[in-house]
Amino acid sequence: MNNDGRFPEISIVIPVYNSTGSLEEIVRKINVVMEEILNCTYEILLVDDHSTDRHTWETIAKLAEARAEVKAIRLRKNVGQHQATFCGFSMSSGKIIITMDDDLQHDPLDIPRLLEYPEKDAVIAVFNRKEQGIIRNFTSRIKDLFDNAILHKPSDLKLTSSFRAIRRDIITKILEVHTSFPLVGSLIWSVTENIVNVPLEHHPRYEGKSGYSFFKRLSLFSSLVFNHSSLILRFMSKLGILSAFGGMIFGVFLSGRKIFFGNVAPGWTSLEVTILIMGGLILLSLGVIGEYLYRILSTVEVRPRYVIDATLNMDSVTEERKLWEGLSDARVSETMKSTDRGN
């Protein structure tokens, strides 16, 4: 890789939440890989996602003080792993951006494996066996099935891992997508299909337990379903058509029974069942529409994905890149026109 002297060749973005003991080991291993194996310029962006453990920021600050390559960012509120990753994207300067977890389940010594495909826009790790609970493994498999159905990607391509390497131009395009519910893997696929998986080993957690509860994973799943597809809307449309068709057939049946068999005792049961079924479908449809309207409103309002509370070792060059590359081409052009008018 060539470096122009202004920006590092590689940026490593690590969202951090209530991790302390693993951070020093992660930074140490990254330093070994970058300086002794790859021999390239780099930066490590530790994004503290408003950890409740105050020792987390203290540890990050010490690491930033010890090494200029470590850049620290603290968010004002917890926004989740994907939002925190986006914060790291916007503040990064490298030509290649690597993302990984803060628990050492992704080994920094595997970073060179992610860089073996320079012709690819994104390289994503895939694990044959994950060091996590049975329920989480099961839900991950379910999400893979929905990824295939919703994103229309090859079934053998996995996008779920957060251990990945992405080219700068892809990151720039991803940052132009203004959504309040981002999923990094899905957004990568929406920008490019030039993606490859690399098989790697998944390691046990260094300490503690995962911060991904069942409800957090359910929230991510709902973001996939509602924000990255119209699957639910299409399903409700087809269900409505089937219900209407079934209602018409049932109506023909009741009319025929009335005509050919004369007066029949009123069927309150069938009436009640019909009302309950149709009423339930109507309420379900309204709930789906309401969920879409809420997400559209959140996007139209242009709510901030995150709010930065403090930074360490963030120089003016990084701020300049954040300003210009974080904007869409149209907004940059408008800014330049305004500057020209001012002159």
Side-chain angles (χ1 to χ4, degrees):
M1 300 180 190
N2 296 320
N3 187 28
D4 59 11
R6 294 190 66 197
F7 304 121
E9 294 169 289
I10 297 178
S11 296
I12 300 99
V13 175
I14 307 176
V16 179
Y17 185 71
N18 288 346
S19 295
T20 302
S22 61
L23 294 180
E24 293 184 1
E25 182 65 10
I26 289 176
V27 171
R28 185 192 69 79
K29 283 190 171 185
I30 291 176
N31 292 336
V32 170
V33 171
M34 295 299 162
E35 297 175 4
E36 300 180 12
I37 299 177
L38 297 176
N39 189 27
C40 64
T41 56
Y42 66 100
E43 63 179 359
I44 305 171
L45 293 98
L46 300 177
V47 184
D48 182 7
D49 191 16
H50 197 72
S51 298
T52 56
D53 181 1
R54 62 181 179 84
H55 297 296
T56 298
W57 178 249
E58 293 175 357
T59 301
I60 292 174
K62 290 179 181 178
L63 292 170
E65 182 179 1
R67 298 193 64 100
E69 295 88 357
V70 177
K71 303 180 184 301
I73 306 166
R74 182 172 63 186
L75 303 182
R76 287 187 178 274
K77 63 174 294 185
N78 180 264
V79 294
Q81 182 183 24
H82 289 264
Q83 302 279 24
T85 301
F86 261 73
C87 175
F89 286 164
S90 67
M91 302 292 280
S92 65
S93 303
K95 296 179 180 179
I96 295 178
I97 291 82
I98 293 174
T99 66
M100 59 191 305
D101 290 346
D102 63 345
D103 53 13
L104 279 175
Q105 290 193 294
H106 303 155
D107 191 349
L109 296 178
D110 289 329
I111 288 177
R113 295 285 309 280
L114 299 177
L115 304 176
E116 291 178 353
Y117 302 86
E119 75 281 2
K120 296 295 183 179
D121 292 333
V123 181
I124 303 176
V126 62
F127 309 104
N128 292 328
R129 179 177 179 274
K130 289 187 176 182
E131 295 290 339
Q132 56 190 23
I134 297 177
I135 295 179
R136 185 167 179 181
N137 281 329
F138 175 74
T139 55
S140 294
R141 292 182 182 275
I142 296 297
K143 185 179 180 300
D144 283 339
L145 294 176
F146 274 86
D147 279 344
N148 297 336
I150 292 173
L151 303 178
H152 304 291
K153 68 174 183 63
S155 59
D156 58 344
L157 179 64
K158 308 300 181 183
L159 303 174
T160 54
S161 173
S162 56
F163 195 19
R164 49 175 100 83
I166 315 168
R167 287 175 41 176
R168 162 60 55 185
D169 55 334
I170 301 301
I171 293 295
T172 301
K173 291 299 181 183
I174 289 176
L175 288 173
E176 291 178 1
V177 179
H178 299 289
T179 174
S180 299
F181 306 91
L183 288 178
V184 178
S186 301
L187 289 174
I188 293 174
W189 179 252
S190 71
V191 172
T192 178
E193 296 183 3
N194 189 23
I195 305 171
V196 67
N197 284 139
V198 174
L200 295 175
E201 182 180 356
H202 197 253
H203 301 271
R205 290 182 62 87
Y206 186 84
E207 63 180 357
K209 62 180 182 179
S210 173
Y212 264 110
S213 65
F214 172 77
F215 291 103
K216 285 186 177 181
R217 295 181 67 81
L218 183 62
S219 176
L220 287 177
F221 177 75
S222 67
S223 294
L224 171 67
V225 172
F226 287 103
N227 284 81
H228 296 269
S229 79
S230 57
L231 179 67
I232 298 297
L233 280 178
R234 293 199 303 268
F235 173 76
M236 293 307 302
S237 297
K238 293 177 181 179
L239 185 60
I241 293 173
L242 288 176
S243 299
F245 183 70
M248 287 189 294
I249 293 178
F250 189 54
V252 171
F253 168 75
L254 292 179
S255 299
R257 191 174 67 170
K258 173 76 172 179
I259 294 173
F260 294 103
F261 297 99
N263 292 328
V264 179
W268 290 107
T269 302
S270 60
L271 179 62
E272 290 296 325
V273 169
T274 302
I275 292 176
L276 288 174
I277 292 176
M278 297 307 299
L281 288 175
I282 292 173
L283 290 176
L284 180 60
S285 300
L286 289 176
V288 170
I289 295 172
E291 182 68 24
Y292 275 102
L293 288 177
Y294 165 72
R295 291 168 183 264
I296 292 172
L297 179 61
S298 298
T299 302
V300 171
E301 287 181 344
V302 196
R303 298 179 182 179
R305 291 176 175 149
Y306 50 83
V307 177
I308 296 175
D309 182 36
T311 61
L312 297 172
N313 288 347
M314 304 300 297
D315 54 27
S316 58
V317 172
T318 302
E319 292 292 342
E320 177 186 347
R321 186 160 203 143
K322 171 179 175 281
L323 172 64
W324 290 98
E325 292 202 358
L327 298 174
S328 65
D329 294 339
R331 293 174 67 186
V332 169
S333 176
E334 183 63 28
T335 301
M336 294 176 66
K337 289 179 182 179
S338 300
T339 303
D340 291 339
R341 286 195 295 265
N343 294 333

